[in-house]
Amino acid sequence: MCIKLKAECMLTCNLLSLLSCHMLFCLGNNMLILFTCLKYYLFFFSPKNYDGLVVRSATKVTAEVISAGSNLKIIGRAGTGVDNVDVEADVFIIFMNYSFNTPSGNTISAAELTCALLMSLSRHIPQAVISMKDGKWDRKKFMGAELYGKVLGIVGLGRIGKEVATRMQSFGMKTIGYDPITPPEVSASWGVEQMSLEELWPQCDYITVHTPLMPSTTGLLNDTSFAKCKKGVKVVNCARGGIIDEAALLRALESGQCGGAGLDVFVEEPPKDRALVNHPNVISCPHLGASTKEAQARCGKEIALQIVDMATGKALVGAVNAQVLVSSFSPDSHQWILLGESMGRVLKACTASKEPFSQVHVTSLGESLKKSTGFLSSAAVVGLLTEGPQKGPNLVNALPLAAETGITVQTDHKDNECEACVLEVSVNSRSYKAVGSVQAGVPVLLELNGSVFRQPVPLTGHLLFFKAANSTELLLSVTGVLAAAGVELQSYSASTAGSGEQWYCMGISSLLGDIGALKSLVKEAAQLTV
């Protein structure tokens, strides 16, 4: 993706400072980005016209939406998590997610809402407000409890969990927690004692969850968990719907095992089942964790700057599904990616055996390609696995697909004065090799299976490769077959060797309808479009 951008165009427009609106921006003259957090916006504006898409949590970017975006190169999720984006979609699009550092992004806003719900649960504030608006004066009905001296269990001690802990400690709460990643000595430095969940449940007066939604955290608070808690424990979820089992929570509320719940998120949003929302001991909000002007401005600015960094060749930070590209994605790398894929397609076409490859070895040559073996190997595998002109694997899923099909991929780098890529493949104990480079911005083939071309072969358009013994009649005979088929010869590259069977390449106006017409003239022949 060779895109020239002016980073200042993002800054001067206060990019995404208000993601509550949908906006279109043209970055320079090349890249059009669609910014939206409106849930149904994509039904009215087709993503096929845009190179990039930035969303918040409400917009669901499904596989269908991604497939419709024929020009999409990047999808950014301004906020924490990418559960509203189908990151497993079988297309080459980089998915970016901004992971905020305190006090940036959503962190402070989500932490403050959590604290507000904890306080509201302890003093029944929303219920008392409703009662007052109904003209009542029920002082005894809304007897609350102090937070001072109570135990707060924090499940998930990341950025938000930390901010909640430090704020609630100021109320005199004892904070304990659980996190399988954050070291206990780190959380201890900000006043949280870590322990196992089995130890945590019985000690808590209040529990708040701050984990991503994944198989290990789905239904973390369930019937079994509630049974281990103090009777009357109060719980808060400002993280993701589903971490607390909603059916189990309702049962715990009805039995009194749970004394109250503050819910900002639900499994289904908006929830059609209103049992929890309507329960008198539940305080519910319509997913307001990041709904502050400050959080919206931070999220929009940071994801916009990330896109500018990516498009201008800087470090690709926050990539969810394209780690192979993180340290090496730049406009200059685009031609090398095309080279790797084209070399893979050439070797696939020119191998005598149609059996699957068993090994792939990619070697980068030259100091500037030292960090490029990752995307070069992925690109080569894309070429090797692509069948014909139809859409095949991509840089993101190529290596996993190779592993699934039993192909071993090895990479290497060697210092060399020349910049080049060497691709070697093995099939049925036979080896095939191609060497290529980028010259004047064009991917070229330098060598094929030991045949070094006098003139580098530009890897573009329709190409006819054939292997034959050198003779004065060879060129005339092959061009005669082309002429008979109405195919024009556009370029010709011969090997440097003067004797023996060598590989030759012709650039042609269109592919031959029947390549079998060359069988009597050459030992092997293959054609492809790159």
Side-chain angles (χ1 to χ4, degrees), residues 79-81 100-102 104-115 152 154-168 179 190 192 208-212 238-240 289-290:
T80 302
F100 302 102
N101 294 317
T102 304
S104 298
N106 297 343
T107 300
I108 298 300
S109 296
E112 288 183 354
L113 180 62
T114 300
C115 296
L152 172 63
I154 306 173
V155 181
L157 298 171
R159 300 177 309 278
I160 298 173
K162 175 185 177 181
E163 295 300 325
V164 170
T166 56
R167 282 156 178 74
M168 299 317 295
D179 192 299
W190 25 273
V192 177
T208 178
V209 294
H210 300 285
T211 72
C238 289
R240 289 288 187 270

Side-chain angles (χ1 to χ4, degrees), residues 188-320:
S189 69
W190 25 273
V192 177
E193 177 189 358
Q194 279 204 51
M195 57 189 66
S196 69
L197 290 174
E198 295 300 310
E199 295 172 304
L200 182 140
W201 301 133
Q203 299 186 47
C204 298
D205 299 294
Y206 297 82
I207 297 172
T208 178
V209 294
H210 300 285
T211 72
L213 183 65
M214 56 183 70
S216 60
T217 62
T218 300
L220 194 64
L221 266 168
N222 50 41
D223 289 314
T224 303
S225 307
F226 279 118
K228 296 175 182 178
C229 294
K230 288 183 180 179
K231 188 173 181 64
V233 66
K234 296 178 175 64
V235 298
V236 171
N237 185 5
C238 289
R240 289 288 187 270
I243 297 173
I244 299 177
D245 184 322
E246 293 180 353
L249 173 59
L250 184 60
R251 288 189 287 269
L253 287 164
E254 293 293 344
S255 69
Q257 182 64 20
C258 178
L263 304 176
D264 185 46
V265 291
F266 298 84
V267 173
E268 182 182 42
E269 295 184 353
K272 293 179 182 178
D273 185 346
R274 308 287 294 181
L276 278 176
V277 174
N278 295 332
H279 196 281
N281 291 338
V282 172
I283 301 169
S284 56
C285 300
H287 205 147
L288 299 179
S291 295
T292 64
K293 295 178 181 178
E294 295 83 358
Q296 296 294 302
R298 293 188 196 110
C299 291
K301 179 180 178 181
E302 295 298 338
I303 196 68
L305 290 175
Q306 277 193 13
I307 291 177
V308 171
D309 285 346
M310 183 214 72
T312 53
K314 297 181 181 178
L316 183 59
V317 180
V320 175

Side-chain angles (χ1 to χ4, degrees), residues 482-529:
L482 295 179
V487 177
E488 296 180 4
L489 174 64
Q490 297 178 333
S491 64
Y492 175 66
S493 296
S495 302
T496 56
S499 61
E501 292 180 339
Q502 299 292 324
W503 280 95
Y504 302 83
C505 180
M506 289 180 170
I508 51 181
S509 59
S510 61
L511 298 181
L512 283 168
D514 180 18
I515 198 172
L518 293 172
K519 284 186 177 181
S520 62
L521 304 175
V522 301
K523 183 175 181 180
E524 296 179 37
Q527 60 180 351
L528 69 154
T529 301

